[in-house]
């Protein structure tokens, strides 16, 4: 009986998942093609196709294979990671304003990554340090917001904002004591920078693995979105599922931060907009967030590197210009 009740509540309709995902996948491919062809040296789609077939001029091959395709794929992976992390946090908190950036996960991951960089470490250690910072920030926000009672959306948001501000102060201190020759690169990275993202495969792999691992949990996530008490009443063990969300959101945020720095509001805007269009079935929302978040950040990065070409803007500036008005609008509606 509990399992049947959970399925009934989690599945109000049996709409096919493939058509919307196919549309989003096509939009993502179009955004990637658009990003690869546009830049200080514009290319035609035929030039890209020729390079993919192993033809084309040496300059076009270098430009496409070594510069633009890795950067576009890194942007796609980062956007998907942040959007899925935001969707998971919104399920956990039952609050559309939850986001890794707003709740301080990105700040904690940035502190962990910067600490590893200042120590002269690199590679896997930076990613591990970023994960530790993001997970510590998650535990800190939830612990402080919970206190001796249950959290409320306003209490959790205020706690997240305060913790994020605290991480910002720590980042400022670390920048103040860092060597002068490293300072410009660290500042640009903290604003969200894909200029040096040359290895997108780890981020893409993590995004695919997490999405595939979460799909079987879609029905349980649908029930958890209604609250832990209802989830327990319907036979869903809420505590292990919540810890799974903690770990998944922290890992996704850490990989996004180590790939492209601190980029805000993707995890806020994308899940909310998709729920307005597609509903709240997590089996559809999570893969849709991976595709739509990647598409959004690819387009934002294309705009960032072409708006004042040959100079480049940090992609975090573009996402903030989109995310801040959206956050204020959602905050206004939640009164």
């Amino acid at each position: 009986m509990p399992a049947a009740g959970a399925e009934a509540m989690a599945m109000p309709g049996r709409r096919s998942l493939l058509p919307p995902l196919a549309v989003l996948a096509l939009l993502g491919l179009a955004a990637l093609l658009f990003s690869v062809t546009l830049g200080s040296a514009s290319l035609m789609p035929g030039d890209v196709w020729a390079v993919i077939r192993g033809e084309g001029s040496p300059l076009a091959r270098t430009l496409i294979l070594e510069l633009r395709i890795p950067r576009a794929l890194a942007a796609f992976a980062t956007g998907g990671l942040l959007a899925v992390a935001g969707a998971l946090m919104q399920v956990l908190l039952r609050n559309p304003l939850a986001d890794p950036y707003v709740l301080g996960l990105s700040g904690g991951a940035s502190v962990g990554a910067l600490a590893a960089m200042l120590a002269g470490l690199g590679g896997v250690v930076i990613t591990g340090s970023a994960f530790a910072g993001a997970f510590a920030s998650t535990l800190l926000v939830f612990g402080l917001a919970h206190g001796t009672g249950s959290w409320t959306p306003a209490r959790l948001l205020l706690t997240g904002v305060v913790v994020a501000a605290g991480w910002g102060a720590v980042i400022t201190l670390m920048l103040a004591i860092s060597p002068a020759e490293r300072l410009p690169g660290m500042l640009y990275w903290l604003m969200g920078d894909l200029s040096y993202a040359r290895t997108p495969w780890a981020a893409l792999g993590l995004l695919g693995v997490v999405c595939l691992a979460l799909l079987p949990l879609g029905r349980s996530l649908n029930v958890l979105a209604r609250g832990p008490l209802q989830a327990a009443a319907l036979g869903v063990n809420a505590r292990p599922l919540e810890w799974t969300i903690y770990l998944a959101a922290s890992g996704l945020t850490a990989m996004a931060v180590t790939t492209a720095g601190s980029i805000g509001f993707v995890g806020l805007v994308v899940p909310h907009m998709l729920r307005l269009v597609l509903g709240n079935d997590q089996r559809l929302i999570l893969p849709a967030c991976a595709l739509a978040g990647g598409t959004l950040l690819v387009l934002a990065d294309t705009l960032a590197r072409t708006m004042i070409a040959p100079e480049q803007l940090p992609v975090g500036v573009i996402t903030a210009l989109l995310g801040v008005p959206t956050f204020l609008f959602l905050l206004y509606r939640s009164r």
Side-chain angles (χ1 to χ4, degrees), residues 240-270:
L241 189 58
E242 289 176 345
W243 277 104
T244 299
I245 295 177
Y246 289 148
L247 293 172
S250 299
L252 293 170
T253 303
M255 181 59 73
V257 168
T258 54
T259 302
S262 182
I263 299 175
F265 299 105
V266 175
L268 170 69
V269 174
V270 173

Side-chain angles (χ1 to χ4, degrees), residues 8-27:
M9 291 189 67
M11 294 187 59
R14 291 186 176 273
R15 177 175 48 188
S16 174
L17 307 181
L18 291 180
L21 293 180
V23 171
L24 289 173
L26 290 175
L27 290 175

Side-chain angles (χ1 to χ4, degrees), residues 262-298:
S262 182
I263 299 175
F265 299 105
V266 175
L268 170 69
V269 174
V270 173
H272 182 74
M273 294 304 177
L274 287 176
R275 288 192 180 96
L276 292 178
V277 177
L278 302 177
N280 202 27
D281 187 348
Q282 303 307 315
R283 297 174 305 158
L284 175 60
I285 290 297
L286 292 176
C289 281
L291 295 170
T295 301
L296 174 64
L297 199 60
V298 168

